[in-house]
Amino acid sequence: QVQLAESGGGTVQAGDSLRLSCAVSGGTFSSYGMGWFRQTPTKERDFVAAVSESARITFYAESVKGRFTISRDDAKRTIYLQMNSLKPEDTAVYSCAATPRATSRSPGNYDYWGRGTQVTVSS
């Protein structure tokens, strides 16, 4: 059974930084593509960033490119999302997800999800 657990969310001011973590238990972590998504009460789940197995490929939503960095540590079975220069519009619940298939921007491609961690950015 694959389980994902996010941590690192919180309330910060605009311009601050946060680092989210997502620890994965069960399954073959090193073979999974991993992604971060975010959702607000008024919007559908949006793609934020993804990293392929072996970290050969990373890609980002245009809205976070240059500010956010996704990474993975296969020894720790954990992925990270370093978020810099945070803006109020980054406020959302951030969830990590895992897929045994090719990494993509589509939530439907991911089989396993964490419960999410709240990030709130005040102006």
Side-chain angles (χ1 to χ4, degrees), residues 45-120:
R45 182 176 281 163
D46 287 337
F47 168 77
V48 175
V51 57
S52 68
E53 50 83 24
S54 301
R56 291 174 296 140
I57 300 170
T58 60
F59 48 97
Y60 300 88
E62 285 299 320
S63 59
V64 307
K65 196 174 292 185
R67 299 188 298 123
F68 291 11
T69 302
I70 188 171
S71 61
R72 64 187 297 156
D73 185 333
D74 285 358
K76 295 183 178 179
R77 299 176 62 90
T78 299
I79 67 166
Y80 305 96
L81 185 68
Q82 177 66 43
M83 305 186 295
N84 298 331
S85 303
L86 282 161
K87 304 176 181 180
E89 51 263 44
D90 294 319
T91 295
V93 174
Y94 285 71
S95 299
C96 60
T99 177
R101 294 173 291 280
T103 313
S104 79
R105 299 171 183 265
S106 171
N109 187 58
Y110 293 79
D111 291 354
Y112 310 107
W113 290 84
R115 293 187 175 185
T117 185
Q118 176 70 47
V119 172
T120 302

Side-chain angles (χ1 to χ4, degrees), residues 1-4 23-30 32 77 98 112:
Q1 183 179 3
V2 180
Q3 293 184 318
L4 289 72
V24 180
S25 60
T28 52
F29 175 78
S30 62
Y32 291 153
R77 299 176 62 90
Y112 310 107

